[in-house]
Amino acid sequence: TQQASIPDVAEWPDRPVLLRPEPGCGVRLHGSPESIRPGVVQKFETDIFEGSILVRVAGVGSSTPEEQFGPENTSRKMQHIVQGRFKKQVLYKDLRAGFELGRPLDSAPPGWIIGGINAIVQR
């Protein structure tokens, strides 16, 4: 992957978070070349997919968690909603999605839970 410098925190439009595609991953954002704005539907495109994304982050923006995620989901911290279409046929087993953390999770689920979920998803 390509290395890209992270702008100074004072320049982040949605402090205290900065959401952006991994440099060199092929994602092209329409309307904002550098970051994904929480609470704003943004169009994006890759070589094989085009659509829109809405990212909600608890505590970012003017709405409360109840307004963002509904009263039954107030413990939710982040939500990604993606809608669009594939430009060509893609097998499910070839898809990848996720995000990279700067450090290990402090309270990751036990390995047997992760292994069980992976076994179900791979079926």
Side-chain angles (χ1 to χ4, degrees), residues 3-22:
Q3 290 289 350
S5 62
I6 297 175
D8 185 71
V9 176
E11 298 175 19
W12 295 5
D14 300 295
R15 286 185 308 272
V17 298
L18 175 65
L19 303 172
R20 62 183 190 172
E22 173 72 23

Side-chain angles (χ1 to χ4, degrees), residues 24-107:
C25 72
V27 172
R28 295 174 298 282
L29 296 173
H30 298 272
S32 174
E34 298 205 11
S35 66
I36 298 168
R37 304 293 308 270
V40 177
V41 176
Q42 287 183 271
K43 294 188 181 297
F44 74 98
E45 186 174 356
T46 70
D47 292 341
I48 63 169
F49 187 85
E50 63 183 353
S52 56
I53 184 168
L54 171 63
V55 178
R56 295 179 176 140
V57 180
V60 175
S62 59
S63 59
T64 66
E66 291 84 2
E67 292 169 329
Q68 289 178 320
F69 308 121
E72 67 283 353
N73 292 312
T74 56
S75 64
R76 182 174 283 169
K77 301 297 182 207
M78 182 178 270
Q79 179 182 42
H80 299 82
I81 302 168
V82 177
Q83 180 179 9
R85 69 173 191 86
F86 287 96
K87 298 177 183 178
K88 62 182 183 180
Q89 186 174 357
V90 178
L91 297 176
Y92 184 79
K93 69 180 185 77
D94 294 332
L95 296 177
R96 301 286 184 267
F99 55 93
E100 182 178 351
L101 302 174
R103 60 181 175 80
L105 290 173
D106 290 333
S107 57

